[in-house]
Amino acid sequence: MATTVTPAVPGRRRRTPLARREARWAYLFLAPWIVGFLAFTAGPMVASLWLSFTEYDVINAPRFSGLDNYRQLVSDPQVARSLGNTVYYTALHVPLVMVISLALALLLKRVGRLQGFFRTVFYLPVMTPAVAVGILFLLLLNTQDGLVNRGLALVGIDGPSWTTDPDWVLPGIVLMSLWSLGSTVIIYLAALQNVPRDLYEAADLDGAGPWTRFRHVTLPMISGALFFTLIVNTIASLQMFTEVYTMYFGNRQTAGSFNSDAASFYVIHLFREAFQFLHMGFASAMAWLLFLVILAITLVQVKLGNRFVYYEGEDG
Amino acid sequence: MSRKLRATALVGVLALAVSGCGGVGGGGDSGGGEKGSGALSTMGLSLSDEIATTRVDAFKRDHPDVRLQVTEGAFDEQQFLSAVASGNPPDLVYLDRKLIGTYAKRGSVQPLTDCVDEQKIDMGQYRQAARDQVTLDGTVYGIPEFSQVRVVYLNEALLREAGLTPDDVNLADWAGLPALNARLATVSGGRLSRIGIDPKIPEFLPMWAKANGAEMISADGTKPNLTDPKVVEALTTGLRLVQDQGGWGRFKSFRDTFDFFGAQNPLAKNQMVAWPMEEWFLNQAAKNSPRAELVVKPFVDRQGKPLSMSSGQAWVITKGAKNPDAACAFVKQMTATDTWLAAARARADARKAQNLPFTGLWTGNTAADKKIFDEVYRPTGNKRFDDAVAAVRQAQDVAFAMPASPAGAEFDKAWTDAVNRVLAGQQQPAQALARAQQEATAALDKAAG
């Protein structure tokens, strides 16, 4: 097939007919996603931004209310409480997941042939539906009869009231959240397996011990994976909903008998404001506040990450 | 690929993306509008037992021209609101009566004044408590069904062990409750192995408050009354019973291990001596523990008069319903005396086939209840359970219900949160209820505004 050669224009590369045709095909195949994104993500986001400036109960037409919802956000103690709970949970959950997952991944790397088996075992809990995890942990965390306190009793510890003592509700939820750290373990294991052997050999020649090798070889080489899981787990933690809602709010028989102050997460409070109390405008404002919080935290993480993360192919 | 073909593909993709938006109301199928014809969609009803299927079948038989579409599953607020917002709501919604006030105030459900008139529905046939829960500002918004009441269950074997009889359990004597509780409960080293008296708070606080002569909210559902000293006293009394049994953490954790639906229920396992509870447990006990020494008494107020709290379901017709006439005919038939009677017969037959006793059906319709007990119910032959059924019948006649409120969910949240703070030791009863009063007042004022 004959093709014409188009002379290059300085500052702008002209695309060949073939390239243009390929681009059109690419856009055609991307179209479902673009339509879906516009209709189901971007559209609702813009709508929720508008709704956040209105009083809207879903049933009647929204009424413009200016900054009222945002003023209420600042003054509502329940918003502050749920945000505080969520940040507290995130501050506990993310480092714990990262440290334990890394430890498990390091162990997995050493088990040799059985690695496949253990990798599956660690990942299986991730497949459990979140609702089932919530119900399961309600049983496991039972003060009097739960396996967690029974285990603690074996070592002479009188376990706390995980589900009723306001001081222990969030640690109990953090404990539950460790159930599904398998995916982080798998990511770390993949990263560990990609660390070049020759770096360890060079470190050995330099007389580095295990800690020094870990500190100066392993950690820098897997810093990209650590950074990725830090961001992803932080965002997921700030959006925690299903398991806690199942445990403390979703069951109509028991929903009222738990301390909702202690278990109130931000997204749960948002959901209740929207669909139980019919304050959709206020809930939209809450959603935008959460978006800004996540954006701010992620930006800080990225800023810091740029200083500590090593990307393959970078100089130095 | 030709331009035409590409355009067609793109339109196809767009159509696929948009076609997922069909709501529960069933899309563009017009209702019809003729009485007894057209499409009729429901939400919130499950056809999981003979009580539901018998009545639905009766409607289908008598209205063959109505294309009934039952979207099965429990009522889901999110699903309902999405359907309303999309302008495609189901014609009928089956939901907890306590939610009606909120939706009625916002205009998402229709007043049933015309429906009641046109179909000649006798509202007087429904129990007063049920009627109260479907009426807001004097307008009926729902047709009620079922009436769950609370009675007091006693384990006579355990009472005898403590040297007591069922007559010694006097819930009218609040001053004597802690001493009675101490004789019945088994607490050792902070570990609870038998509950003496379970006050069943937060859930039943309105019943304890009523027993003390206080309403937690005004009859029109707009003014909370949570700081009433009688409400505070009711909470304090319940709190004391829990604290004396190892505290809320131990108490609730122990109670959470109970299997109320199985053979290892707390009655069979001797885990609890006296507790108020919904009447459905009677069915479970008759099925799973027919030899247990169960005694059922009415809950009583402080003067010793029987008292109970009632709750249940209701049918509402949504704003924008496409076939309100058929919807009205449906709710009339679902809650009519004869339909209930047929359902009760089906239930009794099913129980007989399973060699299980039929302990009655509480429909919310007094005429239906009477017919069911006159014509279908047969004493089980087990005096304890037959007496228990009589006690539940008595409780039906003295039951009250929390009135419909334009901010019912927020009101409930305010007072249950308060009770939970008290139980967790975070606040004293008066302090917690004062905060709840503020929260509830703000929510109700906003809803009224």
Side-chain angles (χ1 to χ4, degrees):
Chain A
M1 194 166 77
T3 54
T4 53
V5 179
T6 314
V9 176
R12 185 175 169 220
R13 286 177 63 192
R14 290 194 62 183
R15 287 189 300 183
T16 64
L18 176 64
R20 282 203 296 274
R21 202 159 66 228
E22 282 180 348
R24 279 200 294 272
W25 274 103
Y27 283 123
L28 180 67
F29 283 107
L30 282 171
W33 184 88
I34 292 170
V35 169
F37 175 77
L38 290 175
F40 302 117
T41 304
M45 279 183 76
V46 172
S48 81
L49 183 61
W50 156 244
L51 289 175
S52 73
F53 296 104
T54 67
E55 203 171 293
Y56 180 46
D57 64 6
V58 188
I59 296 156
N60 298 293
R63 249 183 327 140
F64 185 72
S65 61
L67 292 171
D68 282 1
N69 289 326
Y70 289 93
R71 272 192 281 272
Q72 192 187 337
L73 266 185
V74 177
S75 61
D76 188 341
Q78 297 199 42
V79 170
R81 200 172 299 120
S82 62
L83 191 59
N85 284 347
T86 308
V87 171
Y88 173 64
Y89 165 78
T90 303
L92 278 178
H93 165 81
V94 176
L96 268 177
V97 163
M98 292 179 69
V99 169
I100 296 172
S101 298
L102 184 56
L104 289 172
L106 286 166
L107 283 174
L108 268 180
K109 194 171 168 251
R110 288 169 169 263
V111 295
R113 274 189 212 165
L114 286 174
Q115 198 185 88
F117 170 75
F118 283 112
R119 204 168 45 200
T120 309
V121 168
F122 284 132
Y123 194 74
L124 270 179
V126 182
M127 311 292 281
T128 316
V131 172
V133 173
I135 293 168
L136 173 68
F137 270 83
L138 212 47
L139 299 173
L140 293 177
L141 294 172
N142 184 286
T143 307
Q144 189 142 322
D145 222 28
L147 271 184
V148 174
N149 275 6
R150 282 190 185 189
L152 290 172
L154 290 177
V155 290
I157 297 172
D158 188 20
S161 298
W162 296 100
T163 57
T164 50
D165 184 338
D167 294 335
W168 282 99
V169 167
L170 282 175
I173 293 169
V174 171
L175 195 63
M176 173 189 68
S177 71
L178 300 180
W179 172 261
S180 51
L181 49 70
S183 47
T184 310
V185 175
I186 302 296
I187 291 170
Y188 288 167
L189 184 61
L192 287 171
Q193 285 170 334
N194 280 335
V195 179
R197 266 173 182 275
D198 52 357
L199 292 179
Y200 289 115
E201 286 163 5
D204 281 342
L205 288 174
D206 287 345
W211 170 248
T212 309
R213 282 201 305 271
F214 176 72
R215 168 79 182 78
H216 294 290
V217 178
T218 308
L219 275 184
M221 292 306 291
I222 65 165
S223 56
L226 292 172
F227 181 58
F228 170 74
T229 55
L230 172 71
I231 290 194
V232 168
N233 281 324
T234 302
I235 293 173
S237 301
L238 292 169
Q239 295 176 329
M240 175 62 148
F241 178 78
T242 310
E243 291 94 331
V244 180
Y245 189 79
T246 307
M247 287 173 83
Y248 293 101
F249 301 92
N251 182 342
R252 286 188 190 277
Q253 293 295 329
T254 59
S257 60
F258 286 109
N259 191 313
S260 72
D261 278 356
S264 180
F265 276 58
Y266 192 82
V267 179
I268 290 175
H269 187 46
L270 186 159
F271 176 84
R272 299 185 82 194
E273 285 288 342
F275 294 106
Q276 288 179 349
F277 310 146
L278 308 185
H279 302 149
M280 189 60 83
F282 181 61
S284 298
M286 284 187 73
W288 275 92
L289 175 66
L290 181 64
F291 174 73
L292 293 176
V293 168
I294 290 176
L295 186 68
I297 290 176
T298 308
L299 285 176
V300 169
Q301 287 175 334
V302 170
K303 202 80 181 158
L304 291 174
N306 287 339
R307 291 167 59 186
F308 299 110
V309 177
Y310 165 76
Y311 293 103
E312 215 171 332
E314 273 185 344
D315 290 336
Chain B
M1 185 186 267
S2 71
R3 184 175 292 181
K4 190 176 172 188
L5 190 57
R6 273 180 274 167
T8 308
L10 188 59
V11 169
V13 167
L14 280 168
L16 274 175
V18 176
S19 65
C21 304
V24 289
D29 192 4
S30 67
E34 288 291 318
K35 276 186 186 126
S37 68
L40 177 65
S41 57
T42 78
M43 176 193 277
L45 177 68
S46 281
L47 299 173
S48 56
D49 63 14
E50 59 282 343
I51 301 294
T53 53
T54 303
R55 293 182 299 144
V56 168
D57 288 347
F59 177 80
K60 283 180 179 169
R61 185 192 61 227
D62 294 346
H63 300 81
D65 294 333
V66 175
R67 297 189 304 281
L68 184 64
Q69 181 193 335
V70 177
T71 304
E72 286 206 60
F75 174 70
D76 181 301
E77 288 148 326
Q78 195 178 358
Q79 193 184 9
F80 171 61
L81 291 171
S82 303
V84 170
S86 68
N88 193 22
D91 298 294
L92 275 165
V93 176
Y94 186 63
L95 74 180
D96 194 314
R97 289 203 277 271
K98 70 182 180 184
L99 298 174
I100 286 182
T102 304
Y103 291 129
K105 183 72 186 175
R106 288 168 168 82
S108 63
V109 298
Q110 296 185 16
L112 297 185
T113 318
D114 293 344
C115 166
V116 169
D117 287 347
E118 285 171 17
Q119 287 283 338
K120 296 186 175 52
I121 297 174
D122 174 16
M123 289 304 292
Q125 70 186 324
Y126 306 116
R127 292 189 182 278
Q128 181 66 49
R131 285 206 306 268
D132 290 347
Q133 281 196 301
V134 297
T135 307
L136 188 73
D137 299 334
T139 303
V140 173
Y141 285 93
I143 300 296
E145 56 176 61
F146 293 117
S147 175
Q148 293 164 353
V149 291
R150 283 79 178 149
V151 287
V152 177
Y153 294 87
L154 303 170
N155 183 328
E156 191 171 4
L158 295 181
L159 285 170
R160 195 166 52 247
E161 222 174 75
L164 299 169
T165 69
D167 291 338
D168 294 321
V169 179
N170 180 11
L171 294 186
D173 177 18
W174 287 17
L177 287 181
L180 177 65
N181 189 38
R183 284 185 72 172
L184 300 177
T186 307
V187 187
S188 166
R191 192 175 175 82
L192 181 64
S193 57
R194 179 176 295 165
I195 289 175
I197 301 171
D198 179 2
K200 203 81 193 297
I201 53 173
E203 303 96 309
F204 291 0
L205 179 66
M207 191 162 77
W208 286 94
K210 181 88 169 176
N212 204 21
E215 307 284 353
M216 285 176 45
I217 190 167
S218 61
D220 62 1
T222 60
K223 296 276 180 290
N225 183 38
L226 300 173
T227 47
D228 188 320
K230 289 177 177 172
V231 179
V232 177
E233 187 183 16
L235 176 53
T236 306
T237 302
L239 173 68
R240 170 86 193 270
L241 293 176
V242 172
Q243 283 179 332
D244 289 350
Q245 298 181 83
W248 181 234
R250 299 277 169 194
F251 185 89
K252 179 166 167 51
S253 295
F254 180 51
R255 200 175 63 183
D256 283 348
T257 64
F258 294 175
D259 173 18
F260 282 101
F261 298 94
Q264 299 297 304
N265 62 63
L267 177 68
K269 288 183 78 177
N270 290 326
Q271 291 170 313
M272 200 150 51
V273 187
W275 69 103
M277 195 174 179
E278 292 87 349
E279 92 288 333
W280 59 257
F281 179 66
L282 186 59
N283 256 331
Q284 295 299 325
K287 176 181 160 187
N288 295 310
S289 316
R291 276 188 281 279
E293 294 191 46
L294 176 70
V295 173
V296 174
K297 288 172 56 166
F299 189 80
V300 291
D301 66 14
R302 297 195 69 177
Q303 285 72 48
K305 284 194 298 193
L307 172 71
S308 188
M309 187 164 76
S310 162
S311 58
Q313 305 291 110
W315 288 101
V316 294
I317 300 178
T318 57
K319 175 185 169 188
K322 295 181 185 73
N323 199 351
D325 290 336
C328 190
F330 181 85
V331 297
K332 181 185 182 183
Q333 182 148 15
M334 288 292 278
T335 59
T337 303
D338 288 349
T339 321
W340 278 121
L341 194 62
R345 286 203 170 101
R347 166 61 58 87
D349 289 346
R351 287 285 154 89
K352 196 173 173 186
Q354 294 168 302
N355 204 23
L356 293 172
F358 171 63
T359 54
L361 181 63
W362 313 101
T363 66
N365 176 328
T366 44
D369 286 358
K370 184 172 185 316
K371 270 201 157 185
I372 288 166
F373 277 91
D374 287 349
E375 298 177 23
V376 183
Y377 172 76
R378 294 287 174 269
T380 62
N382 180 333
K383 188 174 182 314
R384 288 184 182 279
F385 286 95
D386 294 339
D387 289 348
V389 170
V392 174
R393 285 190 77 174
Q394 187 189 5
Q396 289 285 351
D397 297 332
V398 294
F400 76 99
M402 297 291 276
S405 166
E410 287 159 288
F411 172 71
D412 282 352
K413 179 182 184 299
W415 69 259
T416 52
D417 279 359
V419 178
N420 280 314
R421 287 194 298 272
V422 169
L423 289 168
Q426 291 172 295
Q427 283 185 311
Q428 292 301 309
Q431 186 190 13
L433 288 168
R435 179 177 141 188
Q437 175 80 8
Q438 279 183 349
E439 291 170 355
T441 303
L444 287 162
D445 287 351
K446 191 171 181 184

